[in-house]
Amino acid sequence: VLVAGIVNGAAEAPPAPMTALCWMGVAAASIAGHMFPVWLGFKGGKGVATSAGVVLGLAPMAVGACLVVWAAIVWASGYVSLGSVVAAGIFPALVWLFYPMRRDSIWLYLVLAAVIIWMHRANLRRLAAGTENRFGRHAKGPTAS
């Protein structure tokens, strides 16, 4: 995605509208392809790592800060899903803070965060019920799987 952005000029701020659309299309296809792979019956991952990789070239400080927050939450709580949801949720604010030249495209980062949080809806239900698995161990309770 970074290469596509550089080749098409999206790494410049602000990119030309059609160039930005090309970059967004490559980014969306990459994330959607990992979330909904055809060869796995449209059942893939939740898009966290792929999304981080997609935006790493455009907002490396924001991705780095999110990684630190994610690691701290996973270390403190044991819940990878909680770390992922919090990191996704704070990412648009970090882009806004660290990259004022990208504020006109903040909607893209908000949509990306919303999609990641939506993909974690079952995890959030299990967290609320106390049945979510912790990193390296299963949840307590009879309904844990």
Side-chain angles (χ1 to χ4, degrees), residues 91-102:
F91 182 73
L94 292 172
V95 171
W96 184 271
L97 177 69
F98 293 141
Y99 301 96
M101 73 291 268
R102 302 210 190 282

Side-chain angles (χ1 to χ4, degrees), residues 43-130:
K43 296 178 184 174
K46 293 183 169 79
V48 177
T50 305
S51 297
V54 163
V55 297
L56 182 61
L58 293 174
M61 289 191 314
V63 172
C66 284
L67 182 60
V68 170
V69 168
W70 175 86
I73 290 172
V74 173
W75 179 80
S77 71
Y79 294 116
V80 174
S81 58
L82 181 61
S84 298
V85 167
V86 171
I90 66 169
F91 182 73
L94 292 172
V95 171
W96 184 271
L97 177 69
F98 293 141
Y99 301 96
M101 73 291 268
R102 302 210 190 282
R103 288 181 179 168
D104 60 336
S105 61
I106 198 71
W107 63 271
L108 176 68
Y109 303 112
L110 290 167
V111 168
L112 186 58
V115 168
I116 290 172
I117 293 168
W118 181 76
M119 294 296 290
H120 281 85
R121 62 194 182 282
N123 300 84
L124 293 171
R125 282 193 290 272
R126 288 192 300 269
L127 279 167

Side-chain angles (χ1 to χ4, degrees), residues 129-131 139-145:
T131 58
K140 298 176 185 174
T143 60
S145 56

Side-chain angles (χ1 to χ4, degrees), residues 129-143:
T131 58
E132 177 75 337
N133 290 333
R134 291 179 185 255
F135 185 70
R137 57 188 180 249
H138 291 289
K140 298 176 185 174
T143 60

